[in-house]
Amino acid sequence: MLVIFWILILVFRMKFLYNLIQLWEKYFLLLTNDLQKAIQLLDSQLLDVLISITLFILIPALFLFFRKKLKFLSININFSLAVLLTLLLAFVFAPIITDENPEFQKDLRMTKLLPPFSKVKVLHLKAGDISNSSAAEKFIAFKNQIVKQSYANNIIFIDNIKRKPDKIIYLQKEKSGELDLNRVQLKNNKSIVTNKSFILGTDEFGRDIFTRLVYGVRISILVGLGSVVVSLLIGLSLGFIAGTRGGIIDIIFSRLTDLFLAFPIIYLIILILAMFGNSLLTVIIVLGLSGWMSLFKIVKSEVLSVKNKDYITSAVMMGLPKMTILTKEILPVIMIPIIVNVIFQFSNVILAESALSYLGLGTGNSYPSWGAMIESGQQYITKAWWMILFPGIILIFTLFSANNLGKNLNKANISVMH
Amino acid sequence: MNKVFIKSLSKRIVTSIITLFLLVSFLFVLTRLSPGDPTQKYLSAEFSPELKEKVTASFKLDQPIFNQYINFVANIFKGNFGISYGYRQPVLSVVWQFLSFTLVFATLSFLLQIIVSSFLAFKSIRNKGKLFDRSVLNISLIVYAIPAFVLGLSLIYIFSIQLDLFPSSGLRSLDFESNSFFGKIGDYIYHLSLPLITLSLAGIALFYKYLRESLEDVYQQNFILNLKASGYDQSTILKKHVLPNAVRPLLSIAGIELGILLGGALITEVIFSLPGMGRLMMDSIFARDYPLVIGCALTAGVLMIASNFLADMIKMKLDKRLIKGLIN
């Protein structure tokens, strides 16, 4: 599976990878020459690209090196595991899988609401002259060539062109424009026209849906993992305290769980997000806060059932510290039910995040999110079905795989216990 | 027996009331803590600060929070939930307008879920391992993973836009009043079919999964084999011995599901623009209509607890051993 991914990327993105490696090299040179400037230039996008290309080279090397120790990699891969693994890869390698910018928009007239597999002709213009500028500026120009920005000055989307002796007339639907010959890139005295394809079509702002889906993985996984960690921390600690102490603390925590379970939790989430503002961080925290109840119940009941076993008593008698008993004696026993629960929780959170984005209470507009994509597709449902279909399918696959994985693990756990 | 029952029943009622009270207080604190001004929707402070103060005073938001809370608690015990800022009506009457739709809608959806899923489950346990069983099982897994908004929009695209069979939103046609009684009911059904499918499919898949699993479990038990060997006919075994045992895990799920449905099917209501509790709740949150938010939350909480309670009662009816467990 992983090998297939690497081969696919190598085949389809050969040139891009080569460029990225060059970029890394140039950045390294810049780092050694002009440290301050280099650090100034390091924005999140550049960092993202550099990290993913580094990992892309490092991971196969590490695998080759530690081949013998990584036996768990040879487990059978079924459909759901493959989907989740693909999502994980897309999370890390988003800038390599697609070389577009998720926010890229240009010439709306030409690129708006294109159906899947459509191609648009691109006229390439000359870039600014960079022959006699400093090393840093050269690097910036090179970077902008490779790492795509959300806007590009040196291309125009066109329907058709007509060549005149001293200028070029291009057509964009009903509108036409002209360009001087010296502004257009020429090759054998002909202007360069290439095709740009949009595999899954474009949205209402002419943004590539495939790219947005790949980057949308990041939001979903980030929110999923983040809030699962939050609820794991809360559920585990409260459950452990309630299970070991009992008494009044147990009663208080149990009432608290009842309180959270006593009315549809989605309204509480909406209430908090609507009143206190929604951002990536608040969404993660609120979703995490709303999902700890089942974990709390599981941990509490497991701790209660384990507490009076002989080996725990002997551990207490031996005077082991509480943390050691928790991590060494209790956690391994309750690990699998917790993992199963965490996987279900993960799929719940992804669903909740996309539903919130659909309702306009998501993580904001700075990142593409599947739910928000579906929400914007709703307005164009008569014209552009692909805006809903593809994010919807990805969402269904993700949820299905997570549910399936949880179910299989649960089944395996039960059969081990019997 | 009866004494134990009454004791645990009263204990349960008391804990439910405490939980609801805590819930309402929690929401009260949350709404008062949040930034944002409920009066802003009606008038701007820039135009006339005096008028704004008047409105704030009329909402009783000018008093210290502690006094507000005392007032609020006193009023709740009198059954008075205040007046909605937006609707200018008592909260309970606003809630009732929307609740009536939700009650009908949720009950219909719930019945649909139970009937379809049990039909499928019985049919597939009879054809266990055959093509029907396997395909329904796999389809149910996929259906369960479809989010409501994807499903709803797909249904709208297929049935409203491409085939033009069902309306995509609303509850009544324009010529609703001119219809006869049955025509009106027909019109409601015509408008509610897509929302009902959207709301019910995931529940059908869930119930189907649980019911099929527990039916399979029960059928594998020894006492069923004994009954079969003794020559009881299939339907008696099913009705008297399998069903009461198999339905128990389903009932807990059904209680929770009914509670969630009665609290309002937010996403479905938003997609098909239906007047239900979910949208009322969301709109009141966005409008910062504090009394209405709390009224809605309390209604949803009461319905949730009541439906869980109902499920437990039915479970207890089936299995007398569970009476003591009623408390939790």
Side-chain angles (χ1 to χ4, degrees):
Chain A
M1 165 79 198
L2 286 170
V3 178
I4 296 171
F5 175 78
W6 253 267
I7 291 173
L8 273 179
I9 292 285
L10 275 179
V11 172
F12 282 102
R13 293 261 175 263
M14 197 64 201
K15 197 175 166 211
F16 184 64
L17 282 178
Y18 175 69
N19 283 337
L20 282 183
I21 293 168
Q22 265 188 332
L23 183 73
W24 209 174
E25 190 189 326
K26 290 199 176 175
Y27 188 72
F28 189 71
L29 280 178
L30 195 69
L31 264 180
T32 47
N33 290 336
D34 192 350
L35 191 66
Q36 229 166 5
K37 189 82 188 166
I39 290 169
Q40 263 178 29
L41 278 175
L42 194 69
D43 54 358
S44 59
Q45 213 186 3
L46 182 62
L47 192 69
D48 187 11
V49 169
L50 292 181
I51 288 176
S52 40
I53 185 69
T54 317
L55 285 178
F56 188 79
I57 297 166
L58 268 183
I59 287 178
L62 284 176
F63 271 31
L64 283 179
F65 200 71
F66 294 107
R67 211 167 11 184
K68 300 236 166 88
K69 284 189 182 169
L70 297 169
K71 274 194 183 141
F72 68 89
L73 283 171
S74 58
I75 51 169
N76 285 335
I77 285 193
N78 53 15
F79 175 75
S80 42
L81 212 55
V83 170
L84 292 181
L85 212 55
T86 315
L87 289 185
L88 208 60
L89 289 173
F91 176 74
V92 181
F93 297 118
I96 295 185
I97 293 174
T98 161
D99 55 356
E100 297 295 327
N101 188 304
E103 302 294 333
F104 177 79
Q105 34 182 302
K106 167 104 187 164
D107 292 327
L108 267 187
R109 180 181 285 108
M110 292 300 301
T111 53
K112 188 170 93 174
L113 298 177
L114 287 177
F117 299 111
S118 50
K119 279 183 180 168
V120 182
K121 284 181 187 157
V122 182
L123 181 66
H124 292 261
L125 305 186
K126 266 181 192 159
D129 192 18
I130 51 160
S131 53
N132 47 6
S133 46
S134 73
E137 278 167 19
K138 266 184 188 168
F139 174 76
I140 295 172
F142 185 71
K143 187 199 88 176
N144 286 346
Q145 256 178 34
I146 292 165
V147 184
K148 295 284 186 358
Q149 302 301 305
S150 59
Y151 186 81
N153 275 323
N154 59 346
I155 57 169
I156 297 179
F157 289 109
I158 51 162
D159 267 334
N160 219 336
I161 53 167
K162 279 182 201 148
R163 178 77 195 271
K164 291 277 165 68
D166 56 339
K167 63 191 173 190
I168 281 178
I169 297 175
Y170 60 87
L171 292 170
Q172 291 179 325
K173 296 275 158 72
E174 59 279 0
K175 182 195 158 213
S176 66
E178 2 177 290
L179 281 171
D180 267 358
L181 260 189
N182 54 16
R183 285 191 54 204
V184 183
Q185 280 187 42
L186 293 177
K187 198 178 181 185
N188 301 334
N189 209 13
K190 275 184 178 169
S191 53
I192 302 174
V193 175
T194 51
N195 276 323
K196 184 175 161 63
S197 58
F198 297 96
I199 305 174
L200 300 183
T202 58
D203 66 1
E204 80 271 32
F205 297 119
R207 298 175 295 197
D208 185 20
I209 286 184
F210 176 70
T211 308
R212 289 178 72 71
L213 281 181
V214 172
Y215 278 88
V217 172
R218 294 195 153 176
I219 278 295
S220 287
I221 296 218
L222 205 64
V223 171
L225 289 181
S227 27
V228 160
V229 167
V230 171
S231 33
L232 197 62
L233 282 179
I234 300 175
L236 213 58
S237 47
L238 291 192
F240 184 66
I241 293 172
T244 47
R245 290 287 164 80
I248 187 84
I249 296 174
D250 183 15
I251 293 173
I252 290 174
F253 288 160
S254 301
R255 282 293 126 240
L256 205 63
T257 345
D258 285 353
L259 176 73
F260 273 85
L261 289 174
F263 104 125
I265 200 77
I266 181 85
Y267 298 123
L268 190 63
I269 297 171
I270 292 176
L271 181 77
I272 295 176
L273 288 181
M275 297 215 161
F276 294 90
N278 53 323
S279 68
L280 182 60
L281 198 67
T282 47
V283 167
I284 288 179
I285 291 175
V286 169
L287 285 178
L289 281 178
S290 65
W292 55 271
M293 288 84 73
S294 55
L295 271 167
F296 167 79
K297 284 190 166 174
I298 289 177
V299 172
K300 194 186 107 182
S301 64
E302 294 282 340
V303 166
L304 279 179
S305 72
V306 159
K307 197 167 78 172
N308 294 327
K309 295 257 169 74
D310 290 342
Y311 67 97
I312 301 287
T313 322
S314 60
V316 175
M317 291 292 187
M318 278 158 69
L320 289 178
K322 277 208 166 134
M323 269 322 271
T324 321
I325 296 179
L326 173 65
T327 51
K328 289 271 165 66
E329 308 288 342
I330 294 180
L331 263 187
V333 181
I334 60 178
M335 202 58 161
I336 289 181
I338 288 178
I339 289 176
V340 170
N341 192 280
V342 157
I343 291 172
F344 284 128
Q345 181 68 23
F346 182 71
S347 92
N348 280 346
V349 166
I350 288 181
L351 177 62
E353 188 273 326
S354 58
L356 285 176
S357 300
Y358 173 77
L359 294 172
L361 284 170
T363 50
N365 289 327
S366 46
Y367 270 103
S369 149
W370 297 336
M373 289 170 75
I374 292 172
E375 195 266 328
S376 67
Q378 193 182 2
Q379 299 164 21
Y380 298 90
I381 188 168
T382 47
K383 287 182 252 169
W385 48 267
W386 53 90
M387 282 177 68
I388 296 173
L389 183 72
F390 296 119
I393 285 180
I394 294 235
L395 201 52
I396 293 169
F397 273 5
T398 312
L399 297 174
F400 174 76
S401 312
N403 286 340
N404 224 1
L405 192 70
K407 203 189 79 183
N408 290 344
L409 247 173
N410 200 13
K411 219 186 247 172
N413 177 36
I414 287 170
S415 60
V416 164
M417 272 165 45
H418 282 306
Chain B
M1 203 66 156
N2 221 2
K3 219 172 177 183
V4 178
F5 174 68
I6 288 171
K7 198 180 163 195
S8 46
L9 184 71
S10 49
K11 198 167 177 186
R12 179 155 175 163
I13 288 174
V14 169
T15 48
S16 301
I17 289 174
I18 292 174
T19 308
L20 283 176
F21 179 71
L22 285 177
L23 172 74
V24 168
S25 309
F26 176 64
L27 289 181
F28 182 87
V29 174
L30 209 61
T31 49
R32 294 316 195 269
L33 275 180
S34 68
D37 185 0
T39 59
Q40 211 174 31
K41 198 179 161 194
Y42 310 106
L43 47 103
S44 164
E46 282 169 27
F47 285 132
S48 61
E50 303 86 26
L51 197 61
K52 182 185 179 306
E53 269 167 30
K54 251 187 183 169
V55 174
T56 312
S58 80
F59 288 170
K60 299 231 167 95
L61 289 172
D62 54 342
Q63 296 173 4
I65 286 183
F66 189 70
N67 287 7
Q68 284 183 41
Y69 182 67
I70 298 284
N71 246 334
F72 166 76
V73 172
N75 278 334
I76 275 191
F77 279 105
K78 286 181 212 151
N80 176 9
F81 288 91
I83 291 174
S84 157
Y85 300 159
Y87 290 86
R88 307 283 162 154
Q89 283 170 15
V91 164
L92 286 183
S93 76
V94 177
V95 167
W96 177 246
Q97 289 165 22
F98 285 80
L99 187 65
S100 50
F101 167 77
T102 287
L103 282 178
V104 174
F105 189 50
T107 320
L108 276 179
S109 165
F110 186 70
L111 287 179
L112 196 70
Q113 290 176 23
I114 291 284
I115 291 169
V116 175
S117 60
S118 41
F119 172 75
L120 287 175
F122 286 124
K123 186 145 192 196
S124 68
I125 206 78
R126 231 172 280 143
N127 306 323
K128 199 176 141 193
K130 290 185 187 155
L131 184 68
F132 177 82
D133 181 31
R134 270 179 295 150
S135 49
V136 173
L137 196 60
N138 288 328
I139 291 172
S140 79
L141 284 179
I142 297 172
V143 163
Y144 181 65
I146 303 180
F149 50 96
V150 177
L151 182 64
L153 291 177
S154 322
L155 288 176
I156 287 182
Y157 184 74
I158 296 169
F159 290 104
S160 302
I161 294 171
Q162 294 297 321
L163 301 176
D164 203 9
L165 283 177
F166 291 102
S168 64
S169 70
L171 190 54
R172 297 170 182 183
S173 306
L174 283 176
D175 58 348
F176 179 78
E177 293 302 332
S178 65
N179 285 330
S180 63
F181 177 70
F182 289 105
K184 282 181 184 173
I185 290 184
D187 196 51
Y188 278 132
I189 292 174
Y190 174 61
H191 278 85
L192 281 182
S193 359
L194 288 189
L196 270 180
I197 296 174
T198 308
L199 188 59
S200 310
L201 262 186
I204 289 175
L206 184 73
F207 285 157
Y208 168 79
K209 198 189 100 197
Y210 272 93
L211 192 57
R212 196 196 161 285
E213 259 172 29
S214 52
L215 277 176
E216 198 179 352
D217 275 355
V218 176
Y219 265 117
Q220 279 169 357
Q221 308 246 328
N222 287 335
F223 73 94
I224 298 291
L225 191 68
N226 182 22
L227 287 171
K228 272 185 193 166
S230 311
Y232 285 91
D233 63 38
Q234 285 290 335
S235 66
T236 321
I237 296 179
L238 182 70
K239 269 181 205 152
K240 285 215 149 172
H241 302 279
V242 175
L243 253 182
N245 284 304
V247 98
R248 214 181 312 147
L250 184 75
L251 275 170
S252 323
I253 306 285
I256 296 171
E257 176 79 11
L258 183 64
I260 291 173
L261 284 177
L262 286 174
L266 178 63
I267 302 276
T268 313
E269 284 163 16
V270 169
I271 296 174
F272 294 97
S273 44
L274 298 169
M277 285 293 288
R279 263 179 73 206
L280 179 68
M281 181 91 178
M282 195 169 104
D283 292 345
S284 63
I285 288 173
F286 278 113
R288 294 177 199 284
D289 193 341
Y290 299 153
L292 197 54
V293 171
I294 289 173
C296 288
L298 191 75
T299 319
V302 168
L303 289 172
M304 191 111 173
I305 287 176
S307 54
N308 277 330
F309 183 68
L310 189 73
D312 282 353
M313 291 296 276
I314 298 174
K315 252 198 292 186
M316 209 184 62
K317 200 86 185 160
L318 291 174
D319 189 347
K320 296 282 192 300
R321 286 171 297 180
L322 290 174
I323 286 186
K324 277 190 183 169
L326 188 70
I327 314 165
N328 292 318

